[in-house]
Structures are given as C-alpha cells and as structure tokens.
Amino acid sequence: MKRMIAFLSALPVIFAACFFGGCEKKVSYRSYSFFSMDTLITVKIDPSFPDCDTVFEKCREITEEVRLLYDADDPDSLLSRFNRGESDGSGLALLSLSETVSEATGGAFFPGLRDVIEGWREAEKSGVLPQKKEGARVPYKAGMRNADLGGIAKGEAEQRVVEYLKDSGVGYGVISFGGNIAVFGTKPDGKPFSVGIRDPYDTSGVICTVSLDSGYVSVSGGYERYYEIDGERYHHIIDPATYFPAEGGLDSVAVITKDADNAGALGDALATAFFVAGESAARELYASGTFDFEAVFISGGEVRSTPGTVAATD
Ligand code: AMP
Ligand code: MG
C-alpha cells in the first residue's frame, strides 16, 4: 500500500467524482457511460479488447444486479423487502460489512438512516427543517431494518465490475462511479494511473492527484449531493448522532483501498464514515491497522494524507 501512491504533479489526470473522458494522452480507451444507482457510470477499457460492446453491456447488467439488491428507493429491491420484513437479509452481504465498518468507526458509518433520509426529502418539499436529535452514535447491527446502503453500494458495484473485467481478460481500465474511481491493469505506457481528487472549493477542477497502479479511490464530500430547504443547502452525509448533516471538519475525504478484502465497498464506506467522524478519528483507525487503506483529507483549503500516501498538489 505504501508504494502505490507517489508525488505527481502536472500529469494527465483521471478526475474522481467528475470523470472527463480521454485524459491520459498516450493511452487510448473505449468508453461507455450509463446512468444507474443515481449516478453517471463510465467504464473505459483497453480498446484492443476484442469485444468491448459485449463487455460494456455486461458491466451495465452487473451494476443493475447490485442496484436490485441494495437500492432502498426501489420498492422491489431485496433491501426494500428486508426493510419491510419480507426478507431475513440473506443475500445482502453488505449488511455484514456495514456492521463491521460501523463498529470500527463508532457508529459514524450508520447505514440505518432510511427514515432520516426520507425525513430530509420531506423537508425539502415542506420547507420545514427536520427535528435535530441529541444523542450519541451507536454502531449498526446487521439485522436492523430501516437500512440505506447509499454510502457503500456503489463501491460494491464498482468492485464487481472491476472483477468481471479482470476475469474477462481486459488488459486495463478505469471505472468511474460518481465519486468513486477504480483503476486496474497495465497501460501500454507502463505507468501508474493518476487519479485526481475533485476540488471541493471549485468542483470543476482537481485539488490533488494520487498515483495508483490498481485499486479504488472513494471520495465523500459535502458538495456532492444536498437537500435545499428555504434557500439553504444541507448536504447528504448525516451524522447519526444529530440526524443533521455531518460536521466532521472535512470538506472532502478520499479513501484509497487496494489489497483489502471487499476493497471497493470498504473504501466507499470508510469515506462516508470519515466525512462524519473527521480526520483524527480516521487517523486513529489507520494507526490501529484494522483495515488496509490510505486517505487524503481536505479541509480549509489544505490537503493532508496518511503516511503511506502522498497527494500531489500543483
Ligand atoms: P457517500 O456519497 O458514499 O458518502 O454516501 C452518502 C450516502 O450514504 C447518502 O446519500 C445516504 O444514502 C447514506 N448516508 C448518509 N449518511 C450516512 C452515514 N452516516 N452512514 C452511512 N450512510 C450514510
Ligand atoms: Mg461512501
């Protein structure tokens, strides 16, 4: 993990959270985009692969399979059936990973906020702010209903797509799932991929880059999605202690996972958790060695990284 990220400046960049095609000048890709899981998904692969179109179609099918498991907005998803008590949750593997991450982050990652999220949506319509809660964070337990896996399911889908592409013999690729980017394989130029972290202060640009030969960069930021109530914006990452938008002190956070089990889903969940819990809690978890990850913290215009990471700023 320590080797994978190095200082890079002024290199062509793949934008996390905002994917612009054709960034790496000497390396060509075949690219395919579609909309699913409430986000734009772009799959870019080695153009010399013999049947790109079939592979692209399969990527869309895999994503749809994951959505049908975990989309709490779709009444037909397995998660919605679980929430209604019509399923015991078997087949929903992310519930157990969510429990692990929730436990490790002291409940900062808490995927049991379905009714709170619905409350914020209602508030958008009525113009009346939801009630603030006073209390402590408690970890999520896998059997709890009222689940919303929006903070982890994209990473899972992304990981399944990457695994499928690798198994199919695709030489290299870049997959963008909204705020999450995955890269794999060896490019013809032999260089690592350069993944840009979107600038939370100017979302049309990049604030820093990380160099990665393969793995996942999951970004959570308050700028990504929000509820608008009475002209004010309230971002979508909720502190389970207050049921209000998290104020963990970060403007955005990127988590880099590579060798961990469930690296895609884990990185996605940790990014959401760190946005809630803040940098020092994230660094404590890093030091504990519970999970294999690196992270880039952005606040007050500054970029800081965990020791095995160097995020390059121009
Ligand atoms: P992300 O964009 O990956 O950070 O995930 C944000 C999404 O996760 C939100 O849109 C909600 O669906 C859900 N969510 C919000 N707050 C939390 C939280 N504290 N823990 C877990 N999931 C959350
Ligand atoms: Mg997440």
Side-chain angles (χ1 to χ4, degrees):
M1 198 68 186
K2 309 262 187 261
R3 275 175 290 111
M4 77 190 191
I5 301 163
F7 252 116
L8 284 174
S9 57
L11 278 183
V13 185
I14 300 153
F15 285 62
C18 176
F19 189 81
F20 299 98
C23 318
E24 303 233 322
K25 283 204 179 73
K26 288 183 211 117
V27 179
S28 57
Y29 294 92
R30 274 285 301 278
S31 174
Y32 175 69
S33 293
F34 57 99
F35 197 81
S36 180
M37 302 183 83
D38 210 20
T39 199
L40 180 70
I41 295 157
T42 301
V43 180
K44 298 207 315 174
I45 61 172
D46 173 3
S48 69
F49 190 76
D51 196 358
C52 290
D53 290 335
T54 307
V55 158
F56 286 147
E57 196 43 49
K58 185 71 186 165
C59 291
R60 183 201 275 272
E61 280 171 32
I62 290 167
T63 306
E64 181 62 9
E65 279 165 23
V66 176
R67 195 195 64 74
L68 275 172
L69 288 177
Y70 295 116
D71 182 356
D73 285 335
D74 181 344
D76 294 330
S77 72
L78 186 55
L79 187 66
S80 295
R81 281 191 269 144
F82 168 74
N83 280 340
R84 292 195 299 266
E86 297 162 15
S87 149
D88 64 1
S90 46
L92 296 172
L94 285 186
L95 290 178
S96 135
L97 179 59
S98 293
E99 180 176 13
T100 305
V101 176
S102 190
E103 186 70 46
T105 60
F109 184 76
F110 188 82
L113 295 171
R114 180 68 194 158
D115 57 357
V116 176
I117 290 164
E118 278 177 350
W120 278 95
R121 289 180 182 164
E122 283 304 314
E124 249 189 334
K125 288 186 208 143
S126 67
V128 180
L129 277 177
Q131 198 72 25
K132 211 166 190 172
K133 181 191 146 202
E134 282 185 34
R137 295 176 195 148
V138 283
Y140 179 80
K141 297 277 172 225
M144 288 179 179
R145 314 275 163 173
N146 194 30
D148 176 289
L149 296 173
I152 184 170
K154 287 190 193 74
E156 167 74 7
E158 185 177 47
Q159 188 179 326
R160 290 201 198 181
V161 165
V162 167
E163 278 160 14
Y164 160 71
L165 291 170
K166 283 188 195 164
D167 289 349
S168 305
V170 173
Y172 60 90
V174 178
I175 295 92
S176 157
F177 262 73
N180 302 335
I181 295 265
V183 296
F184 72 92
T186 307
K187 292 189 279 123
D189 64 5
K191 291 183 185 162
F193 295 88
S194 179
V195 177
I197 312 297
R198 185 189 259 194
D199 185 342
Y201 313 106
D202 170 10
T203 53
S204 62
V206 163
I207 194 158
C208 63
T209 60
V210 292
S211 172
L212 191 60
D213 51 12
S214 75
Y216 301 83
V217 181
S218 306
V219 182
S220 283
Y223 59 84
E224 276 177 21
R225 288 159 203 256
Y226 49 84
Y227 308 103
E228 198 158 338
I229 300 162
D230 208 11
E232 289 283 321
R233 286 182 177 186
Y234 298 85
H235 71 73
H236 70 135
I237 304 175
I238 305 292
D239 186 337
T242 61
Y243 292 172
F244 259 60
E247 295 174 1
L250 293 168
D251 296 316
S252 74
V253 56
V255 174
I256 299 113
T257 46
K258 187 179 175 182
D259 301 318
D261 286 345
N262 300 304
L266 176 69
D268 191 359
L270 287 178
T272 307
F274 295 163
F275 190 81
V276 175
E279 182 172 345
S280 36
R283 285 187 186 275
E284 259 176 52
L285 186 65
Y286 179 83
S288 78
T290 308
F291 302 117
D292 188 2
F293 71 91
E294 300 292 338
V296 179
F297 306 102
I298 301 161
S299 69
E302 281 181 25
V303 177
R304 294 170 302 277
S305 311
T306 46
T309 310
V310 182
T313 48
D314 291 329

